[in-house]
């Protein structure tokens, strides 16, 4: 545990951010395929730019899904349904360049082996009820609240593309207050001031009062700084202003930079890909260990070789917060948790269409996901005794 006073910062991006649009399209396609063919092999990648969506990757399945329709419906649900936001689900082009998975990979996966080599990381801490790092959790919560205000027309001028950033002050390893909050959100021209170069002070204050304060009130004080659309205005946003690609927001997807990160992204990949499934298992292990009282902070790493079922390594670090040694906790985890790809898939019932909801506001910290369950706590406690 680090001593002294310091700041930690995490960012989040909204469902309308170009990279997140791509993640959601890729996972929507994955869900549509798994709904009809649970044994499908899917590695779906999406690229988006001005007026165009390109869907590619490798997919092997015995079913068919309407990629064009799925992409457009996803974009519509996100909120790009009006040309004033620079991108429209009805008028954009959708290009499908999907191929098939290599048989050299599938021959190892079909017998229960990992779909690729690599290492995956999971993390949990006691800073929030969700066992997530506080800066990231607050950054997510701000944007989820902003999206709700946008969709319910309570902030009618807000567009789909937004980013948040929260800097939390820590003292001796514990969060004490928020130092700085950054919120950049796409908007219509109606809230620009007379210069046309920045939003009005009234609009900025409304965003603070309605989007930010309701979800961070416990942690702010009179010294907390707010930076709302720091460049002045954000009228041109979304795919009109920036390209997007699947898998480019991996720190937003995980733990906000609080810990190490594995080698791969998640979205668009079926559960035989350990990039995804084993990252979920690593989180499950870390969260259950922390919830059991074994430690107040825990990072887990699991590594695999392509085509092989058993992990080639398992590691955990409690950063000095464990009630017993990390080596002892490693041995307990190996007894409690099964980490082969097939065991992970069965544990979480991953051959279901559950993935599109993971693709915005983080894959962790939401109880609806099976890897967030705390159903191993009592078993861990027996070993701790």
């Amino acid at each position: 545990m680090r001593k002294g006073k310091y700041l930690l910062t995490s960012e989040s991006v909204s469902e309308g951010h170009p990279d997140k649009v791509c993640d959601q399209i890729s996972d929507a396609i994955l869900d549509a395929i798994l709904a009809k063919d649970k044994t499908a092999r899917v590695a779906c990648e999406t690229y988006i730019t001005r007026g165009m969506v390109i869907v590619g990757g490798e997919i092997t399945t015995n079913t068919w899904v309407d990629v064009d329709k799925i992409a457009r419906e996803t974009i519509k649900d996100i909120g790009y349904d009006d040309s004033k936001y620079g991108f429209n689900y009805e008028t954009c082009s959708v290009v499908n360049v999907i191929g098939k998975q290599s048989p050299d990979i599938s021959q190892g996966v079909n017998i229960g082996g990992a779909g690729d080599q690599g290492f995956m990381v999971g993390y949990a801490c006691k800073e929030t009820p969700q066992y997530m790092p506080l800066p990231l959790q607050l950054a997510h919560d701000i944007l989820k609240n902003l999206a709700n205000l946008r969709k319910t027309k309570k902030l009618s001028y807000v567009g789909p593309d937004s980013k948040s950033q929260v800097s939390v002050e820590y003292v001796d390893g514990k969060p004490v207050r928020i130092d700085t909050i950054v919120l950049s959100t796409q908007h219509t021209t109606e809230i620009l001031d007379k210069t046309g170069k920045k939003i009005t002070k009234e609009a900025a204050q409304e965003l603070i009062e309605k989007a930010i304060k309701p979800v961070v009130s416990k942690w702010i004080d009179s010294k907390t700084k707010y930076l709302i659309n720091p460049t002045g205005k954000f009228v041109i946003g979304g795919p009109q202003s920036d390209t997007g690609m699947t898998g480019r927001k991996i720190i937003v997807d995980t733990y906000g930079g609080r810990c190490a990160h594995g080698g791969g992204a998640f979205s668009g990949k079926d559960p035989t890909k350990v990039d995804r499934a084993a990252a979920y298992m690593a989180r499950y292990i870390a969260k259950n260990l922390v919830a059991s009282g074994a430690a107040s902070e825990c990072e887990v790493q699991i590594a695999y070789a392509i085509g092989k079922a058993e992990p080639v390594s398992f590691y955990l670090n409690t950063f000095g917060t464990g009630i017993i040694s990390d080596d002892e906790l490693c041995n307990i985890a190996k007894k409690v948790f099964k980490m082969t790809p097939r065991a992970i898939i069965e544990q979480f019932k991953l051959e279901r269409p559950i993935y599109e909801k993971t693709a915005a506001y983080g894959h962790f910290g939401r109880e609806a996901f099976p890897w967030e369950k705390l159903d191993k706590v009592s078993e861990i406690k027996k070993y701790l005794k």
Side-chain angles (χ1 to χ4, degrees), residues 68-339:
D68 184 283
K69 182 179 179 182
I70 293 168
R72 294 184 192 280
E73 287 181 348
T74 304
I75 295 166
K76 178 184 178 183
D77 290 343
I78 290 168
Y80 287 111
D81 55 2
D82 193 306
S83 58
K84 67 183 178 181
Y85 299 127
F87 199 86
N88 192 308
Y89 78 98
E90 291 183 298
T91 58
C92 68
S93 63
V94 179
V95 181
N96 182 347
V97 289
I98 294 171
K100 290 186 177 181
Q101 184 187 58
S102 165
D104 295 344
I105 298 174
S106 61
Q107 68 180 358
V109 176
N110 291 341
I111 58 173
D116 201 353
Q117 71 174 46
F119 69 94
M120 295 78 220
V121 175
Y123 178 83
C125 64
K126 287 187 174 180
E127 289 180 8
T128 64
Q130 299 88 355
Y131 294 88
M132 292 291 286
L134 182 64
L136 179 64
Q137 189 62 51
L138 294 178
H140 284 327
D141 289 346
I142 288 169
L143 291 185
K144 285 188 282 186
N145 186 41
L146 182 65
N148 180 63
L149 293 168
R150 169 174 63 87
K151 292 177 179 180
T152 57
K153 307 299 183 182
K154 292 177 181 178
L155 288 178
S156 59
Y157 53 79
V158 171
D161 189 3
S162 303
K163 300 177 75 173
S164 65
Q165 184 171 284
V166 178
S167 299
V168 173
E169 181 180 309
Y170 287 73
V171 176
D172 295 336
K174 295 184 178 181
V176 295
R177 59 179 291 274
I178 296 175
D179 182 80
T180 305
I181 298 173
V182 182
L183 177 62
S184 296
T185 184
Q186 183 183 16
H187 59 85
T188 58
T189 57
E190 66 187 85
I191 60 167
L192 291 175
D193 67 8
K194 293 180 180 180
T195 69
K197 295 181 178 180
K198 60 182 180 179
I199 63 173
T200 64
K201 292 181 180 179
E202 292 76 14
Q205 190 61 39
E206 185 175 36
L207 287 164
I208 292 170
E209 297 297 331
K210 293 185 177 180
I212 296 176
K213 285 187 176 180
V215 296
V216 303
S217 56
K218 176 183 175 182
W219 298 99
I220 58 176
D221 59 24
S222 60
K223 295 182 179 179
T224 298
K225 299 181 286 291
Y226 303 93
L227 301 174
I228 309 301
N229 283 19
T231 63
K233 66 177 183 178
F234 189 1
V235 174
I236 300 173
Q240 183 185 16
S241 66
D242 196 7
T243 60
M245 293 184 71
T246 300
R248 285 208 296 202
K249 283 292 176 282
I250 56 176
I251 301 302
V252 172
D253 286 341
T254 52
Y255 306 102
R258 182 63 172 271
C259 62
H261 194 285
F266 305 151
S267 289
K269 297 177 181 178
D270 75 78
T272 67
K273 277 68 170 178
V274 284
D275 279 345
R276 181 169 220 158
Y280 294 165
M281 175 53 73
R283 160 66 175 177
Y284 180 61
I285 295 170
K287 185 177 180 182
N288 275 268
L289 285 171
V290 171
S292 74
S296 59
E297 183 179 12
C298 185
E299 178 182 297
V300 168
Q301 184 197 83
I302 315 172
Y304 294 85
I306 189 168
K308 301 297 182 181
E310 292 292 339
V312 298
S313 74
F314 177 78
Y315 160 87
L316 68 79
N317 184 359
T318 62
F319 306 94
T321 68
I323 62 173
I324 58 177
S325 72
D326 288 355
D327 286 343
E328 290 175 293
L329 283 178
C330 258
N331 291 331
I332 291 172
K334 289 176 182 177
K335 293 175 183 177
V336 174
F337 301 95
K338 296 178 180 179
M339 300 179 226

